[in-house]
Short mmCIF file of all heavy atoms in Angstrom, two decimals:
data_model
loop_
_atom_site.label_atom_id
_atom_site.label_comp_id
_atom_site.label_asym_id
_atom_site.label_seq_id
_atom_site.Cartn_x
_atom_site.Cartn_y
_atom_site.Cartn_z
N PHE A 1 15.64 -2.10 3.88
CA PHE A 1 15.07 -1.34 2.77
C PHE A 1 16.14 -1.07 1.72
O PHE A 1 17.18 -0.47 2.00
CB PHE A 1 14.52 0.00 3.27
CG PHE A 1 13.08 -0.05 3.71
CD1 PHE A 1 12.75 0.04 5.04
CD2 PHE A 1 12.05 -0.19 2.77
CE1 PHE A 1 11.42 0.00 5.45
CE2 PHE A 1 10.73 -0.23 3.17
CZ PHE A 1 10.41 -0.13 4.52
N ASP A 2 15.90 -1.55 0.51
CA ASP A 2 16.69 -1.15 -0.64
C ASP A 2 15.70 -0.87 -1.77
O ASP A 2 14.48 -0.90 -1.55
CB ASP A 2 17.72 -2.22 -1.03
CG ASP A 2 17.10 -3.58 -1.34
OD1 ASP A 2 15.91 -3.62 -1.70
OD2 ASP A 2 17.81 -4.61 -1.23
N ALA A 3 16.19 -0.59 -2.95
CA ALA A 3 15.29 -0.22 -4.04
C ALA A 3 14.28 -1.33 -4.34
O ALA A 3 13.10 -1.06 -4.57
CB ALA A 3 16.11 0.09 -5.30
N GLU A 4 14.72 -2.58 -4.29
CA GLU A 4 13.85 -3.70 -4.62
C GLU A 4 12.80 -3.95 -3.54
O GLU A 4 11.60 -4.08 -3.84
CB GLU A 4 14.68 -4.96 -4.82
CG GLU A 4 13.86 -6.20 -5.17
CD GLU A 4 14.71 -7.45 -5.30
OE1 GLU A 4 15.95 -7.33 -5.19
OE2 GLU A 4 14.14 -8.54 -5.51
N THR A 5 13.23 -4.01 -2.29
CA THR A 5 12.28 -4.32 -1.21
C THR A 5 11.32 -3.16 -0.99
O THR A 5 10.15 -3.37 -0.68
CB THR A 5 13.01 -4.65 0.09
OG1 THR A 5 13.84 -3.56 0.49
CG2 THR A 5 13.85 -5.90 -0.07
N ARG A 6 11.82 -1.93 -1.14
CA ARG A 6 10.94 -0.76 -1.00
C ARG A 6 9.84 -0.79 -2.05
O ARG A 6 8.67 -0.56 -1.75
CB ARG A 6 11.75 0.53 -1.15
CG ARG A 6 10.90 1.82 -1.05
CD ARG A 6 11.69 3.04 -1.49
NE ARG A 6 10.94 4.26 -1.30
CZ ARG A 6 10.01 4.71 -2.13
NH1 ARG A 6 9.70 4.00 -3.22
NH2 ARG A 6 9.37 5.84 -1.88
N GLN A 7 10.23 -1.07 -3.30
CA GLN A 7 9.26 -1.09 -4.39
C GLN A 7 8.23 -2.19 -4.18
O GLN A 7 7.03 -1.98 -4.37
CB GLN A 7 9.97 -1.29 -5.72
CG GLN A 7 9.03 -1.26 -6.93
CD GLN A 7 9.79 -1.44 -8.23
OE1 GLN A 7 10.62 -2.34 -8.36
NE2 GLN A 7 9.50 -0.61 -9.21
N ALA A 8 8.68 -3.38 -3.76
CA ALA A 8 7.75 -4.49 -3.57
C ALA A 8 6.75 -4.19 -2.45
O ALA A 8 5.55 -4.45 -2.58
CB ALA A 8 8.53 -5.77 -3.25
N LEU A 9 7.25 -3.64 -1.34
CA LEU A 9 6.36 -3.33 -0.23
C LEU A 9 5.39 -2.22 -0.61
O LEU A 9 4.18 -2.30 -0.32
CB LEU A 9 7.17 -2.91 1.00
CG LEU A 9 6.36 -2.61 2.26
CD1 LEU A 9 5.68 -3.87 2.77
CD2 LEU A 9 7.26 -2.01 3.35
N TYR A 10 5.90 -1.19 -1.27
CA TYR A 10 5.04 -0.07 -1.66
C TYR A 10 3.96 -0.51 -2.64
O TYR A 10 2.78 -0.16 -2.49
CB TYR A 10 5.87 1.06 -2.28
CG TYR A 10 5.02 2.22 -2.72
CD1 TYR A 10 4.55 3.15 -1.79
CD2 TYR A 10 4.64 2.37 -4.05
CE1 TYR A 10 3.75 4.21 -2.18
CE2 TYR A 10 3.84 3.41 -4.45
CZ TYR A 10 3.39 4.32 -3.52
OH TYR A 10 2.58 5.36 -3.91
N HIS A 11 4.33 -1.29 -3.64
CA HIS A 11 3.34 -1.72 -4.64
C HIS A 11 2.28 -2.63 -4.02
O HIS A 11 1.10 -2.53 -4.38
CB HIS A 11 4.04 -2.43 -5.80
CG HIS A 11 4.72 -1.48 -6.74
ND1 HIS A 11 5.49 -1.90 -7.80
CD2 HIS A 11 4.76 -0.13 -6.78
CE1 HIS A 11 5.96 -0.88 -8.45
NE2 HIS A 11 5.54 0.22 -7.86
N ALA A 12 2.69 -3.50 -3.12
CA ALA A 12 1.71 -4.38 -2.47
C ALA A 12 0.72 -3.56 -1.65
O ALA A 12 -0.49 -3.80 -1.69
CB ALA A 12 2.43 -5.39 -1.58
N ALA A 13 1.23 -2.58 -0.90
CA ALA A 13 0.35 -1.72 -0.11
C ALA A 13 -0.51 -0.84 -1.01
O ALA A 13 -1.71 -0.64 -0.74
CB ALA A 13 1.18 -0.85 0.83
N HIS A 14 0.07 -0.34 -2.09
CA HIS A 14 -0.66 0.55 -2.98
C HIS A 14 -1.81 -0.18 -3.68
O HIS A 14 -2.89 0.38 -3.88
CB HIS A 14 0.30 1.14 -4.02
CG HIS A 14 -0.27 2.29 -4.79
ND1 HIS A 14 -0.98 2.12 -5.96
CD2 HIS A 14 -0.27 3.62 -4.54
CE1 HIS A 14 -1.37 3.30 -6.42
NE2 HIS A 14 -0.96 4.23 -5.58
N ASP A 15 -1.58 -1.44 -4.05
CA ASP A 15 -2.65 -2.20 -4.69
C ASP A 15 -3.81 -2.43 -3.72
O ASP A 15 -4.98 -2.35 -4.12
CB ASP A 15 -2.11 -3.54 -5.21
CG ASP A 15 -1.27 -3.37 -6.46
OD1 ASP A 15 -1.26 -2.26 -7.04
OD2 ASP A 15 -0.59 -4.34 -6.86
N ILE A 16 -3.50 -2.72 -2.47
CA ILE A 16 -4.57 -2.88 -1.47
C ILE A 16 -5.29 -1.55 -1.25
O ILE A 16 -6.51 -1.50 -1.16
CB ILE A 16 -4.00 -3.41 -0.15
CG1 ILE A 16 -3.51 -4.86 -0.35
CG2 ILE A 16 -5.05 -3.37 0.96
CD1 ILE A 16 -2.82 -5.45 0.86
N LYS A 17 -4.52 -0.48 -1.20
CA LYS A 17 -5.11 0.85 -1.05
C LYS A 17 -6.13 1.12 -2.16
O LYS A 17 -7.20 1.67 -1.91
CB LYS A 17 -4.00 1.90 -1.09
CG LYS A 17 -4.48 3.35 -1.20
CD LYS A 17 -3.28 4.27 -1.42
CE LYS A 17 -3.75 5.68 -1.75
NZ LYS A 17 -2.59 6.57 -2.06
N GLY A 18 -5.81 0.71 -3.38
CA GLY A 18 -6.69 0.98 -4.51
C GLY A 18 -7.83 0.00 -4.67
O GLY A 18 -8.89 0.36 -5.20
N GLU A 19 -7.66 -1.25 -4.20
CA GLU A 19 -8.65 -2.29 -4.48
C GLU A 19 -9.57 -2.61 -3.31
O GLU A 19 -10.70 -3.05 -3.51
CB GLU A 19 -7.92 -3.58 -4.88
CG GLU A 19 -7.08 -3.49 -6.12
CD GLU A 19 -6.17 -4.69 -6.30
OE1 GLU A 19 -6.12 -5.54 -5.37
OE2 GLU A 19 -5.52 -4.80 -7.35
N ALA A 20 -9.07 -2.43 -2.09
CA ALA A 20 -9.78 -2.97 -0.93
C ALA A 20 -11.18 -2.40 -0.76
O ALA A 20 -12.11 -3.13 -0.39
CB ALA A 20 -8.96 -2.73 0.35
N ALA A 21 -11.36 -1.11 -1.00
CA ALA A 21 -12.69 -0.52 -0.83
C ALA A 21 -13.68 -1.14 -1.82
O ALA A 21 -14.83 -1.44 -1.47
CB ALA A 21 -12.63 0.99 -1.02
N THR A 22 -13.24 -1.36 -3.05
CA THR A 22 -14.10 -2.00 -4.05
C THR A 22 -14.45 -3.42 -3.64
O THR A 22 -15.57 -3.90 -3.88
CB THR A 22 -13.39 -2.04 -5.42
OG1 THR A 22 -13.10 -0.70 -5.82
CG2 THR A 22 -14.26 -2.70 -6.48
N PHE A 23 -13.53 -4.10 -2.99
CA PHE A 23 -13.75 -5.47 -2.55
C PHE A 23 -14.54 -5.54 -1.24
O PHE A 23 -14.83 -6.63 -0.76
CB PHE A 23 -12.43 -6.20 -2.36
CG PHE A 23 -11.66 -6.44 -3.63
CD1 PHE A 23 -10.34 -6.85 -3.58
CD2 PHE A 23 -12.26 -6.27 -4.88
CE1 PHE A 23 -9.63 -7.09 -4.75
CE2 PHE A 23 -11.55 -6.50 -6.04
CZ PHE A 23 -10.23 -6.91 -5.98
N GLY A 24 -14.89 -4.38 -0.67
CA GLY A 24 -15.69 -4.36 0.55
C GLY A 24 -14.88 -4.27 1.83
O GLY A 24 -15.40 -4.54 2.91
N PHE A 25 -13.61 -3.85 1.72
CA PHE A 25 -12.74 -3.74 2.88
C PHE A 25 -12.15 -2.32 2.96
O PHE A 25 -10.92 -2.15 2.87
CB PHE A 25 -11.61 -4.76 2.80
CG PHE A 25 -12.06 -6.19 2.78
CD1 PHE A 25 -12.47 -6.79 1.60
CD2 PHE A 25 -12.07 -6.95 3.94
CE1 PHE A 25 -12.89 -8.12 1.56
CE2 PHE A 25 -12.48 -8.28 3.93
CZ PHE A 25 -12.91 -8.86 2.74
N PRO A 26 -12.98 -1.30 3.11
CA PRO A 26 -12.47 0.08 3.07
C PRO A 26 -11.46 0.40 4.17
O PRO A 26 -10.55 1.20 3.96
CB PRO A 26 -13.73 0.92 3.21
CG PRO A 26 -14.73 0.02 3.88
CD PRO A 26 -14.43 -1.34 3.35
N ARG A 27 -11.60 -0.22 5.34
CA ARG A 27 -10.66 0.07 6.43
C ARG A 27 -9.30 -0.54 6.18
O ARG A 27 -8.28 0.00 6.62
CB ARG A 27 -11.26 -0.38 7.76
CG ARG A 27 -12.44 0.50 8.18
CD ARG A 27 -13.29 -0.12 9.26
NE ARG A 27 -14.37 0.77 9.65
CZ ARG A 27 -15.52 0.88 8.98
NH1 ARG A 27 -15.74 0.16 7.88
NH2 ARG A 27 -16.46 1.72 9.40
N ALA A 28 -9.25 -1.63 5.45
CA ALA A 28 -7.96 -2.19 5.04
C ALA A 28 -7.28 -1.23 4.07
O ALA A 28 -6.06 -1.06 4.09
CB ALA A 28 -8.15 -3.56 4.39
N ALA A 29 -8.07 -0.59 3.22
CA ALA A 29 -7.53 0.41 2.29
C ALA A 29 -6.91 1.57 3.06
O ALA A 29 -5.86 2.10 2.68
CB ALA A 29 -8.62 0.91 1.35
N THR A 30 -7.56 1.98 4.14
CA THR A 30 -7.04 3.09 4.95
C THR A 30 -5.71 2.73 5.59
O THR A 30 -4.77 3.53 5.59
CB THR A 30 -8.06 3.46 6.04
OG1 THR A 30 -9.30 3.82 5.43
CG2 THR A 30 -7.56 4.64 6.86
N ALA A 31 -5.60 1.53 6.13
CA ALA A 31 -4.35 1.09 6.74
C ALA A 31 -3.24 0.98 5.69
O ALA A 31 -2.09 1.38 5.94
CB ALA A 31 -4.55 -0.25 7.45
N ALA A 32 -3.57 0.45 4.52
CA ALA A 32 -2.59 0.34 3.45
C ALA A 32 -2.16 1.72 2.96
O ALA A 32 -0.98 1.94 2.65
CB ALA A 32 -3.16 -0.48 2.29
N ALA A 33 -3.10 2.66 2.91
CA ALA A 33 -2.77 4.03 2.50
C ALA A 33 -1.80 4.67 3.48
O ALA A 33 -0.91 5.44 3.08
CB ALA A 33 -4.04 4.86 2.38
N SER A 34 -1.94 4.35 4.76
CA SER A 34 -1.02 4.88 5.76
C SER A 34 0.39 4.37 5.53
O SER A 34 1.37 5.12 5.67
CB SER A 34 -1.51 4.50 7.16
OG SER A 34 -0.63 4.98 8.16
N LEU A 35 0.51 3.10 5.17
CA LEU A 35 1.83 2.53 4.88
C LEU A 35 2.42 3.18 3.63
O LEU A 35 3.62 3.50 3.59
CB LEU A 35 1.73 1.02 4.70
CG LEU A 35 3.03 0.27 4.37
CD1 LEU A 35 4.12 0.58 5.38
CD2 LEU A 35 2.77 -1.23 4.30
N CYS A 36 1.61 3.40 2.61
CA CYS A 36 2.08 4.08 1.40
C CYS A 36 2.59 5.48 1.74
O CYS A 36 3.65 5.91 1.27
CB CYS A 36 0.96 4.19 0.37
SG CYS A 36 0.51 2.63 -0.43
N ARG A 37 1.83 6.18 2.56
CA ARG A 37 2.22 7.54 2.95
C ARG A 37 3.55 7.52 3.70
O ARG A 37 4.42 8.37 3.48
CB ARG A 37 1.13 8.15 3.81
CG ARG A 37 1.45 9.53 4.39
CD ARG A 37 0.22 10.10 5.09
NE ARG A 37 0.53 11.36 5.73
CZ ARG A 37 0.65 11.53 7.05
NH1 ARG A 37 0.47 10.50 7.87
NH2 ARG A 37 0.93 12.71 7.55
N LEU A 38 3.71 6.57 4.60
CA LEU A 38 4.95 6.44 5.35
C LEU A 38 6.14 6.26 4.41
O LEU A 38 7.18 6.92 4.56
CB LEU A 38 4.85 5.26 6.32
CG LEU A 38 6.11 4.88 7.09
CD1 LEU A 38 6.50 5.99 8.06
CD2 LEU A 38 5.89 3.56 7.84
N ILE A 39 6.00 5.38 3.44
CA ILE A 39 7.09 5.11 2.50
C ILE A 39 7.34 6.31 1.60
O ILE A 39 8.49 6.70 1.36
CB ILE A 39 6.77 3.85 1.67
CG1 ILE A 39 6.68 2.61 2.57
CG2 ILE A 39 7.82 3.63 0.58
CD1 ILE A 39 6.15 1.37 1.88
N GLU A 40 6.26 6.91 1.10
CA GLU A 40 6.40 8.04 0.18
C GLU A 40 7.06 9.25 0.83
O GLU A 40 7.87 9.94 0.21
CB GLU A 40 5.02 8.47 -0.34
CG GLU A 40 4.37 7.51 -1.31
CD GLU A 40 2.94 7.90 -1.61
OE1 GLU A 40 2.38 8.73 -0.84
OE2 GLU A 40 2.38 7.42 -2.59
#
């Protein structure tokens, strides 16, 4: 984990958190939100 890898992982998880429910994958959004919370 450094500034670059943290940001890339967080943004990838955050985008899934925000988009997955709209795309019909709400449980994937929940798992991604958990990863965001862990990092935050």
Side-chain angles (χ1 to χ4, degrees):
F1 271 109
D2 58 24
E4 180 183 356
T5 59
R6 178 192 185 279
Q7 183 180 47
L9 183 65
Y10 178 79
H11 283 175
H14 193 271
D15 285 350
I16 292 175
K17 170 187 171 184
E19 299 168 353
T22 300
F23 293 167
F25 299 83
R27 290 164 178 82
T30 302
S34 179
L35 179 54
C36 288
R37 175 173 176 253
L38 174 66
I39 296 171
E40 289 171 344

